[in-house]
Every structure is written in C-alpha cells, then in structure tokens.
Amino acid sequence: MTLVASSFLGGAKSRLLPASIPFRFFGAAVLFHVAFWVLLFFGAEDLSRFVGGQGPVLGAIHSLTLGVFAMAAMGAAFQLLPVATKAPLMAVWPARLASWLAIPGTALLVTGMTTSLHELQALGGLLAIGGLVIFVMLVADNLRRTSGMVLVTSNAWVAVLSLVAILGLGFLLIVDQEHGLLPDHGRVAIAHMVLATYGFMGMLAIGFSYILVPMFALSPAPSAAMGKSSLALSVIALVLTVGGVLSSSAALIVVGTIVGLVGVVLHLRLMVETLDRRMRKQLGPSFVLVRLAWVFLPLSFVLGSAMTGDLVSRAPALFGFAALVGWLLTFVVAMLQRIVPFLASMHAAKTGRAPPLVSALTPEAPLKVHFWCHLAALALIGFGIALDLSMVIKIGVAIGCVGALAFVAFFAMVMVRLARQRSAASP
Amino acid sequence: MTDPIDIARDMLKQVIDPEAGLNIVDLGLIYDIRRKGDALEIDMTFTTEACPVGPSLLAEVQEVLKDVQGIARVDVDVVFDPPWSPERISPEGRALLDG
C-alpha cells in the first residue's frame, strides 16, 4: 500500500527542531524569571521612584526583558516560525550558537548592571548582542523565504527590525557608560525601552497571538484585515513615539501614544471576538492571565501618556510595571505554560505513533501556585508603587518569587514527563 | 461495516489531536474520503495553516490506514480552502469539549 500526503509532508520533519533547541531557551527564560524577582527584591526600596541608573532594578529589568522575554521569543520563534512559514531554518547550528552567546551574555550583563561593574556589563552586552544578531539573521532569512501567513510574518518583520534598532541603541548605551558619547543617555535609554517593549516583544506577542489564541481556544482565524490595520497603526505609533523621545517632542509622543492605543484596541477587539467564537469553553488559568495581560496593555499606554505630562506621581515606575510585568510577563508566562507541554507532546511523538495528550504532560499543581502568586504579586506591587510603600512591594515581590519557583517546578516536571514518554516510545 | 470509506472514517477516529484532545473526525479535520479504484483519496485540513502538530497527525493517518482491506493506496491531500472553523466540530466532539 502506498500512502501519500504530497502537498504538506515535504520538509515537515526538518521544521521540527531537536527538542534541545526550544527547551534550552525556555529553560533559560524560566530561570531568568526567578532571577528577575530576586533582583527586584533587593531593589524594592528604589522601585517606586526608579527612573533609570545602575543597580538591582536595572538588573531585574534586563533579567526580565533579555532573560525572560528574549529567551522565550527565541525558543518560540526558532520552533514555531518555521512551522508557520513552512520554511525550515537555514541550519540548526546557528540557533545553538545563539544560545551559547545570548544565555551567558545575558547573565553577565544582568550581573554587571546589578553590581555596576562596567567591564562585565560590556562583555555580557556584546555576547548577548552577538546571540541576538544570529537570531535576527535566522528569523529574517526564514521570513524572507515565505509568502504565507501575512499577518504573522508582517508582525515578525516589525519585531525583527525593532530588534535591530534595539541592539544598535543598546550598543551605544554600553559604550556611552565608559566614553560618554551620547548627548542624552536617558533619552536613548527610553527609546531603547519603548522599542524593546512595544516594537520587539509587543509585535512578536501580537503576531503569535494570531496563531496561538485560536489554536488553544479552538476558534476561527482572526480577521486579517483588522489585524493589518492594527499593525499599520502600531508601526506609525512606534515611529512617532521613538522619534518624539529622541527629539524631546512631547507632542509627537502623545500623538504616537494615541495612535498606538487605537492600534492596540483594534488588536484586543479582534482577540476578544476570537475568544467569543471559541469551541473550547474551559480555557483554564492560563487564559485568565492572558485576559489580565490584555487589560494591562492599554493601561500601559495611559500611564505612558501620564508620564509625559507628569500627571501621575510615580508614573514612570507604574508605566514600567504595567508594560513589562502586567502585560508582557503575564502574557509570556501564560503562553509558556501552554507552549511548553504542547511542544513536549510534539517531541514525544514517534513516527506513526500517537503523541501523548498535552493535558497528560501538564502538571497542574505548580501552575496553580504560580497563578495565585502572580496575581497577588501584581496587586501588591501595583498598590505598593502607587502608594510608595516599599514593604508592600517587597512582600509582593517575595510572593512573585515563590510563583516563579513554582514555574521552575512546572517546567522541570514537563521535561521529566517528556523524557519518560521518549524512553517508553523507544524500541 | 464493509465499505472501505466507512472503515477508514472509523479508523481515523483513533487519531487524536493532542492539543484539542479530540479525534480528527469529530474535530472536523476530515473534509472528504473518496474511493477511486483500489485507492482512497482523503481531503484533510488542520485547525490552522500553521498547526505545529500537522505533520504528526498526517503520519498517524498513514499508520492507522495501512491495513484497510481492499485498499492498495491512500492519497491524503492537505487543503486549507475552505479553512477549518469550529462549526465543523461534530455534536459528539462539542459534548466532549464542554465536558
């Protein structure tokens, strides 16, 4: 008997990378998540008045952005983009090389920022930039070779271009620490942060949402037209806001923020409509976190505007908290708890044998602990910053750290279950 | 049950989408099964064009259909027109999802 699935199977195997590639990045993200909360604990006294500068808060921010977000993005993009674009990565070894550079580089950079050791910071920064440059090249090559999934690939292109700009600005900021090249270090740092949050991670999060949300919820695909409108507005907003920050134009920043907010509202409307039409009614705690992240996304724009006009005291800290922790961290951990067991199921499957159910690979208990700790941490830290109560912030951060440790347990248990499935499937 | 099409449809219920936890027939991924001489032609889709489990589902389809009596050849064509939508889930599938 001959069996043919000619239109799809060609190259399908090469699009599934060795399990060690995505999981090394996800593992690093899970550990940097713990480091983020630990560093934030030591910087809790300064958090509500933080406007930049070396120390544990800056280390915590980079443990989050580079350590958690960039690592999660690399793991997801290396594995999911080739599947979405139906074009395999040009080679696997550069993905490994990217991990060897970016993971220790980020650890050194975070340590250097926390301890104000500039040499360590420079070395770590250069290694991390090297890893991310490889990531950019691999992803750009993959996107260049595809013409399908326009909404996802367009968002990914904006993310990649933003990352190039972030790396350039990051390099300038590191050099400026020693040599004082920049006329205004603070302005470049804010532009770097806006591009990292909304340009790189934001666009990747939004792009992947168009695949992952309907897939997990069993919903129809979102409207491409509305998604494209949202993307166009987001790109205009990014250009205006970053231009406004670099040129000290409050008007440009405000217009950019308003345009960005409209783009975000379109995206959220699309996502809510997608969920409203879902067939899977019980989506579990992960989608409570996703919905919560969606509340923080527009809130971050409002707080960003308030920061421009000094309208709300401690607006910079509240803005950073809403954008980085409330929106992105909440969204990323929510998606990781679905993606990690899902990829584990794919990697546990042997040719012609049924892969294990994703639910069978998902340990629920540590996720429940993480869920409640994350919610409590968000509430306490938000109130703590708003009321300038460092003890409340510290308690919130400690609870967040317990949640992050529970997430480590979740990840470790999925890996153990994957290993058991693979050894059971071996002849 | 002697019709190879019915037998194949029944056997395809052994293929479970690991994320949805439903078999691919009740999930509405099998659009059509036709007999052409000693061959079966199957039109199949995925819940999304970017479905990461697609290749693994196809491999399983091949595995479960390899012993259908009277069939020498199975052609599986993956199609995305019309795209899958949740309305294609069978009443049995919906009951399982709601449970």
Side-chain angles (χ1 to χ4, degrees), chain A residues 131-146:
Chain A
L132 287 165
V133 165
I134 294 170
F135 169 68
V136 164
M137 289 166 70
L138 281 176
V139 171
D141 172 72
N142 190 269
L143 293 172
R144 188 180 56 78
R145 286 185 283 128
T146 185

PDB file of all heavy atoms in Angstrom, chain A residues 131-146:
ATOM      1  N   GLY A 131      24.430  36.957  20.153  1.00  0.00           N
ATOM      2  CA  GLY A 131      23.397  35.926  20.089  1.00  0.00           C
ATOM      3  C   GLY A 131      22.143  36.439  19.404  1.00  0.00           C
ATOM      4  O   GLY A 131      21.535  35.745  18.586  1.00  0.00           O
ATOM      5  N   LEU A 132      21.783  37.675  19.727  1.00  0.00           N
ATOM      6  CA  LEU A 132      20.555  38.228  19.146  1.00  0.00           C
ATOM      7  C   LEU A 132      20.729  38.575  17.663  1.00  0.00           C
ATOM      8  O   LEU A 132      19.773  38.487  16.889  1.00  0.00           O
ATOM      9  CB  LEU A 132      20.112  39.464  19.949  1.00  0.00           C
ATOM     10  CG  LEU A 132      19.527  39.111  21.329  1.00  0.00           C
ATOM     11  CD1 LEU A 132      19.449  40.336  22.227  1.00  0.00           C
ATOM     12  CD2 LEU A 132      18.145  38.477  21.190  1.00  0.00           C
ATOM     13  N   VAL A 133      21.958  38.939  17.268  1.00  0.00           N
ATOM     14  CA  VAL A 133      22.209  39.191  15.835  1.00  0.00           C
ATOM     15  C   VAL A 133      22.010  37.899  15.041  1.00  0.00           C
ATOM     16  O   VAL A 133      21.395  37.902  13.961  1.00  0.00           O
ATOM     17  CB  VAL A 133      23.630  39.774  15.623  1.00  0.00           C
ATOM     18  CG1 VAL A 133      24.036  39.696  14.156  1.00  0.00           C
ATOM     19  CG2 VAL A 133      23.692  41.217  16.112  1.00  0.00           C
ATOM     20  N   ILE A 134      22.494  36.789  15.597  1.00  0.00           N
ATOM     21  CA  ILE A 134      22.278  35.492  14.920  1.00  0.00           C
ATOM     22  C   ILE A 134      20.782  35.188  14.828  1.00  0.00           C
ATOM     23  O   ILE A 134      20.279  34.748  13.794  1.00  0.00           O
ATOM     24  CB  ILE A 134      23.023  34.366  15.674  1.00  0.00           C
ATOM     25  CG1 ILE A 134      24.522  34.597  15.584  1.00  0.00           C
ATOM     26  CG2 ILE A 134      22.652  32.992  15.105  1.00  0.00           C
ATOM     27  CD1 ILE A 134      25.334  33.683  16.481  1.00  0.00           C
ATOM     28  N   PHE A 135      20.084  35.459  15.925  1.00  0.00           N
ATOM     29  CA  PHE A 135      18.627  35.254  15.947  1.00  0.00           C
ATOM     30  C   PHE A 135      17.964  36.085  14.843  1.00  0.00           C
ATOM     31  O   PHE A 135      17.124  35.581  14.090  1.00  0.00           O
ATOM     32  CB  PHE A 135      18.102  35.655  17.338  1.00  0.00           C
ATOM     33  CG  PHE A 135      16.611  35.757  17.437  1.00  0.00           C
ATOM     34  CD1 PHE A 135      15.807  34.630  17.332  1.00  0.00           C
ATOM     35  CD2 PHE A 135      15.988  36.983  17.661  1.00  0.00           C
ATOM     36  CE1 PHE A 135      14.423  34.730  17.434  1.00  0.00           C
ATOM     37  CE2 PHE A 135      14.615  37.088  17.770  1.00  0.00           C
ATOM     38  CZ  PHE A 135      13.822  35.957  17.657  1.00  0.00           C
ATOM     39  N   VAL A 136      18.345  37.356  14.745  1.00  0.00           N
ATOM     40  CA  VAL A 136      17.773  38.245  13.721  1.00  0.00           C
ATOM     41  C   VAL A 136      18.025  37.668  12.331  1.00  0.00           C
ATOM     42  O   VAL A 136      17.123  37.625  11.480  1.00  0.00           O
ATOM     43  CB  VAL A 136      18.392  39.663  13.833  1.00  0.00           C
ATOM     44  CG1 VAL A 136      18.128  40.472  12.578  1.00  0.00           C
ATOM     45  CG2 VAL A 136      17.826  40.393  15.040  1.00  0.00           C
ATOM     46  N   MET A 137      19.273  37.209  12.100  1.00  0.00           N
ATOM     47  CA  MET A 137      19.616  36.704  10.759  1.00  0.00           C
ATOM     48  C   MET A 137      18.801  35.448  10.417  1.00  0.00           C
ATOM     49  O   MET A 137      18.292  35.306   9.301  1.00  0.00           O
ATOM     50  CB  MET A 137      21.115  36.409  10.674  1.00  0.00           C
ATOM     51  CG  MET A 137      21.954  37.689  10.675  1.00  0.00           C
ATOM     52  SD  MET A 137      23.690  37.385  10.972  1.00  0.00           S
ATOM     53  CE  MET A 137      24.145  36.575   9.462  1.00  0.00           C
ATOM     54  N   LEU A 138      18.672  34.540  11.392  1.00  0.00           N
ATOM     55  CA  LEU A 138      17.923  33.307  11.136  1.00  0.00           C
ATOM     56  C   LEU A 138      16.452  33.595  10.864  1.00  0.00           C
ATOM     57  O   LEU A 138      15.856  33.061   9.932  1.00  0.00           O
ATOM     58  CB  LEU A 138      18.036  32.361  12.342  1.00  0.00           C
ATOM     59  CG  LEU A 138      19.323  31.562  12.470  1.00  0.00           C
ATOM     60  CD1 LEU A 138      19.317  30.755  13.765  1.00  0.00           C
ATOM     61  CD2 LEU A 138      19.487  30.613  11.291  1.00  0.00           C
ATOM     62  N   VAL A 139      15.876  34.459  11.705  1.00  0.00           N
ATOM     63  CA  VAL A 139      14.448  34.752  11.554  1.00  0.00           C
ATOM     64  C   VAL A 139      14.200  35.538  10.263  1.00  0.00           C
ATOM     65  O   VAL A 139      13.251  35.254   9.517  1.00  0.00           O
ATOM     66  CB  VAL A 139      13.923  35.517  12.794  1.00  0.00           C
ATOM     67  CG1 VAL A 139      12.501  36.019  12.555  1.00  0.00           C
ATOM     68  CG2 VAL A 139      13.936  34.607  14.007  1.00  0.00           C
ATOM     69  N   ALA A 140      15.066  36.513   9.965  1.00  0.00           N
ATOM     70  CA  ALA A 140      14.890  37.308   8.745  1.00  0.00           C
ATOM     71  C   ALA A 140      14.993  36.408   7.510  1.00  0.00           C
ATOM     72  O   ALA A 140      14.204  36.543   6.566  1.00  0.00           O
ATOM     73  CB  ALA A 140      15.927  38.423   8.688  1.00  0.00           C
ATOM     74  N   ASP A 141      15.946  35.471   7.537  1.00  0.00           N
ATOM     75  CA  ASP A 141      16.085  34.553   6.406  1.00  0.00           C
ATOM     76  C   ASP A 141      14.827  33.697   6.246  1.00  0.00           C
ATOM     77  O   ASP A 141      14.352  33.477   5.130  1.00  0.00           O
ATOM     78  CB  ASP A 141      17.304  33.643   6.629  1.00  0.00           C
ATOM     79  CG  ASP A 141      17.380  32.541   5.579  1.00  0.00           C
ATOM     80  OD1 ASP A 141      17.694  32.863   4.419  1.00  0.00           O
ATOM     81  OD2 ASP A 141      17.081  31.374   5.904  1.00  0.00           O
ATOM     82  N   ASN A 142      14.281  33.239   7.383  1.00  0.00           N
ATOM     83  CA  ASN A 142      13.077  32.418   7.334  1.00  0.00           C
ATOM     84  C   ASN A 142      11.885  33.219   6.795  1.00  0.00           C
ATOM     85  O   ASN A 142      11.122  32.736   5.960  1.00  0.00           O
ATOM     86  CB  ASN A 142      12.780  31.899   8.748  1.00  0.00           C
ATOM     87  CG  ASN A 142      11.704  30.845   8.746  1.00  0.00           C
ATOM     88  OD1 ASN A 142      10.553  31.172   8.886  1.00  0.00           O
ATOM     89  ND2 ASN A 142      12.088  29.599   8.542  1.00  0.00           N
ATOM     90  N   LEU A 143      11.751  34.454   7.259  1.00  0.00           N
ATOM     91  CA  LEU A 143      10.625  35.286   6.819  1.00  0.00           C
ATOM     92  C   LEU A 143      10.755  35.638   5.337  1.00  0.00           C
ATOM     93  O   LEU A 143       9.776  35.714   4.612  1.00  0.00           O
ATOM     94  CB  LEU A 143      10.562  36.576   7.650  1.00  0.00           C
ATOM     95  CG  LEU A 143      10.213  36.393   9.129  1.00  0.00           C
ATOM     96  CD1 LEU A 143      10.364  37.714   9.879  1.00  0.00           C
ATOM     97  CD2 LEU A 143       8.789  35.868   9.279  1.00  0.00           C
ATOM     98  N   ARG A 144      11.998  35.854   4.895  1.00  0.00           N
ATOM     99  CA  ARG A 144      12.262  36.226   3.504  1.00  0.00           C
ATOM    100  C   ARG A 144      11.811  35.125   2.540  1.00  0.00           C
ATOM    101  O   ARG A 144      11.430  35.395   1.413  1.00  0.00           O
ATOM    102  CB  ARG A 144      13.778  36.461   3.371  1.00  0.00           C
ATOM    103  CG  ARG A 144      14.285  37.038   2.082  1.00  0.00           C
ATOM    104  CD  ARG A 144      15.806  37.187   2.139  1.00  0.00           C
ATOM    105  NE  ARG A 144      16.501  35.935   2.435  1.00  0.00           N
ATOM    106  CZ  ARG A 144      16.731  34.965   1.556  1.00  0.00           C
ATOM    107  NH1 ARG A 144      16.331  35.096   0.317  1.00  0.00           N
ATOM    108  NH2 ARG A 144      17.383  33.868   1.912  1.00  0.00           N
ATOM    109  N   ARG A 145      11.863  33.866   3.011  1.00  0.00           N
ATOM    110  CA  ARG A 145      11.567  32.743   2.125  1.00  0.00           C
ATOM    111  C   ARG A 145      10.098  32.318   2.156  1.00  0.00           C
ATOM    112  O   ARG A 145       9.748  31.263   1.678  1.00  0.00           O
ATOM    113  CB  ARG A 145      12.445  31.546   2.504  1.00  0.00           C
ATOM    114  CG  ARG A 145      13.893  31.727   2.076  1.00  0.00           C
ATOM    115  CD  ARG A 145      14.719  30.493   2.353  1.00  0.00           C
ATOM    116  NE  ARG A 145      15.065  30.356   3.755  1.00  0.00           N
ATOM    117  CZ  ARG A 145      14.847  29.271   4.468  1.00  0.00           C
ATOM    118  NH1 ARG A 145      14.261  28.232   3.947  1.00  0.00           N
ATOM    119  NH2 ARG A 145      15.205  29.224   5.738  1.00  0.00           N
ATOM    120  N   THR A 146       9.229  33.136   2.759  1.00  0.00           N
ATOM    121  CA  THR A 146       7.827  32.732   2.824  1.00  0.00           C
ATOM    122  C   THR A 146       6.914  33.818   2.281  1.00  0.00           C
ATOM    123  O   THR A 146       7.272  34.996   2.287  1.00  0.00           O
ATOM    124  CB  THR A 146       7.412  32.410   4.280  1.00  0.00           C
ATOM    125  OG1 THR A 146       6.087  31.911   4.273  1.00  0.00           O
ATOM    126  CG2 THR A 146       7.458  33.634   5.154  1.00  0.00           C
TER     127      THR A 146
END
